[in-house]
Amino acid sequence: MLSGDLAFVWADELLEGASDDPATMARARQVFTTLRTEVIAGQYLDLELGGDTGAVEDDALHVALLKSARYTVTRPLLLGASLAPESGGRRVVGVLRAYGDAVGLAFQLRDDILGLFGDPAVTGKSCLDDLREGKRTVLVLRALRLATPAGQALLERSLGDPDLDEAGADRCREVVASSGALASIETLLALRHARAVRAIDRLDEPARGALGQLAALAIDRQG
Amino acid sequence: MLSGDLAFVWADELLEGASDDPATMARARQVFTTLRTEVIAGQYLDLELGGDTGAVEDDALHVALLKSARYTVTRPLLLGASLAPESGGRRVVGVLRAYGDAVGLAFQLRDDILGLFGDPAVTGKSCLDDLREGKRTVLVLRALRLATPAGQALLERSLGDPDLDEAGADRCREVVASSGALASIETLLALRHARAVRAIDRLDEPARGALGQLAALAIDRQG
C-alpha cells in the first residue's frame, strides 16, 4: 500500500516536469485527474461485479470502459495531446476519444476471449484462472444470457469454482462457443475496430498510420 | 484502499485551485510532494518500529518527526507560506521550519504521555491500547533504557500483550515514572516548547500570537 502511495506521488512529480508552460500543465493535470478518478471508480465497480451474480453485460462493459479503455488508451492519448505544443483543438480530442474508447474496449474483449480460449504458451497465463476467479466478463455474461438452461447451469456452477479442472473448463468453453456468445463478441470486436479506424480517417500521417497499427496490435493478437 | 486513493486525487484537485499564479503553485506543489513523501516514509518506518525489539529512541524520534511533526505542523505551515502572496522569503521559511518541527515533536511526545497516563474520559481512548499494541514510543524506549532490570523485564513482557489488564498497565506506568523516563520526557517537551517560542520571537503580530497559542494548545493539553 505504501509503495503504491509513493508511486502515486512520484507520478505527480514526473508529470510536473512535462512542460514549462502553465496553461499546458493545467490541461495535462486535468486529464491526469480524470484518468485517476476513472480507474479508481472502475476498480471499485469491478470489485462489486466480481461478487454480483445479478450482473449484466452493461455492468461489465462499464468496467471495461473505465478500467481498460479510458485508463489504457483514451486518457493516455489525451494526456499526450494535452502536452503537445499544438494540441490540435477539439477536433483531435474528439478523434482520440472515439478511437481510444473503441480500441480500448476491443482490447478488453480480446482479453476476455484469450482468457478463456487463448493458448497459455502464447498468453503466458492459464485458461483456468478467469473461470476459477469467477470473472464476469462481457463474454461470460453474454454466454449466460444466450446459453440453454443446462448450459447456464453449468456455467454458473463452474464460475468461481477453485477446483475447476481442464475438462470442466472445456465444457465451459463449449457452452460459450455453442451459445453464439463467442461469435457475437468477435463481431462486436470487429465493429469497434472498424469504428476506431473510421475515427482516425481524417488524421494526418504519421499519426493515422501509427494509430492504425496500434489498433491492430491491440485487437488482432494471440497473446 | 480505493477511498484512500480517491482522497489522494481529490487533495491534488483541491490544491490545484489554491492559486492562479504558476510560480506560487509550483512552490506549493513542491511542498505538498515533500509532505506526502515524508509521511509515507514515516508510516513505513513506524511499521518497522512496531515489530523491532532492538529499536532505540532515535528510531522513534525519526518516526515522530516525519509522521507527526512534519506532516501535522511543519509542512502545512510551509504550504500556507508558499501560497501567501508575499511568502516572506527564506527567513520566514526557516522560522516556520524550526517552530513546526519543535511543536510537532512536542505534540507527539505529549501524545505518548497521554496514551499511557491520560484520563480516558478526556482523551477519549483507553490507556491500555498503546501498551497492548506494543507501541515503542520515545517514552517507552526511554523507560526501557532507564529502568531497573526487573522494570525492563516487566515492560518487555507487557508490551504487545493483548490480554494486559488495568493492574498490569498500572505496573507499567509505575516503571515508566520511577525510571525517570516520564520526568525526562516532560523536560524534553518543555525544551521543545521553549525552542518553538524562541523561533517565532521575531515574527510580526498576529502571526506570533497565533503560533504561540497553537504551540500551547498542542503541548499543554490533557486530551
Side-chain angles (χ1 to χ4, degrees), chain B residues 21 64 91 115 145 151 162 194:
Chain B
D21 177 50
R91 195 178 66 85
R145 183 157 62 82

Side-chain angles (χ1 to χ4, degrees), chain A residues 134-176:
Chain A
K135 264 198 194 169
R136 295 186 175 259
T137 63
V138 179
L139 175 63
V140 162
L141 290 168
R142 184 162 294 190
L144 281 169
R145 184 158 61 81
L146 298 180
T148 61
Q152 287 171 7
L154 183 133
L155 270 184
E156 283 289 9
R157 221 170 33 238
S158 310
L159 282 170
D161 174 4
D163 299 322
L164 189 76
D165 59 11
E166 281 294 347
D170 270 340
R171 284 191 293 273
C172 289
R173 280 190 273 272
E174 170 59 27
V175 170
V176 173

Side-chain angles (χ1 to χ4, degrees), chain A residues 109-118 139 182 185-186 189:
Chain A
L109 295 174
R110 175 61 67 208
D111 225 51
D112 295 352
I113 293 175
L114 290 172
L116 215 54
F117 294 92
L139 175 63
L182 177 59
I185 293 292
E186 284 284 6
L189 217 150

Side-chain angles (χ1 to χ4, degrees), chain A residues 63-170:
Chain A
V63 168
L65 179 70
L66 292 174
K67 265 188 72 174
S68 303
R70 292 281 164 80
Y71 181 67
T72 317
V73 189
T74 311
R75 296 297 171 201
L77 286 173
L78 293 175
L79 191 56
S82 73
L83 288 168
E86 287 178 41
S87 83
R90 292 196 175 193
R91 195 178 65 86
V92 167
V93 166
V95 165
L96 293 177
R97 196 188 302 264
Y99 167 89
D101 283 3
V103 169
L105 195 67
F107 175 86
Q108 183 56 53
L109 295 174
R110 175 61 67 208
D111 225 51
D112 295 352
I113 293 175
L114 290 172
L116 215 54
F117 294 92
D119 177 356
V122 184
T123 63
K125 54 183 181 184
S126 156
C127 274
L128 289 166
D129 292 353
D130 280 7
L131 289 169
R132 284 181 177 167
E133 283 173 28
K135 264 198 194 169
R136 295 186 175 259
T137 63
V138 179
L139 175 63
V140 162
L141 290 168
R142 184 162 294 190
L144 281 169
R145 184 158 61 81
L146 298 180
T148 61
Q152 287 171 7
L154 183 133
L155 270 184
E156 283 289 9
R157 221 170 33 238
S158 310
L159 282 170
D161 174 4
D163 299 322
L164 189 76
D165 59 11
E166 281 294 347
D170 270 340

Side-chain angles (χ1 to χ4, degrees), chain A residues 8 12 29 32-33 36, chain B residues 6-17 25 29 32 36:
Chain A
F8 225 116
D12 261 355
R29 269 188 226 105
F32 192 52
T33 293
R36 297 187 293 180
Chain B
L6 198 55
F8 225 116
V9 175
W10 285 345
D12 262 355
E13 260 190 301
L14 279 173
L15 181 62
E16 223 37 62
M25 283 309 301
R29 269 187 227 107
F32 192 52
R36 296 186 295 180

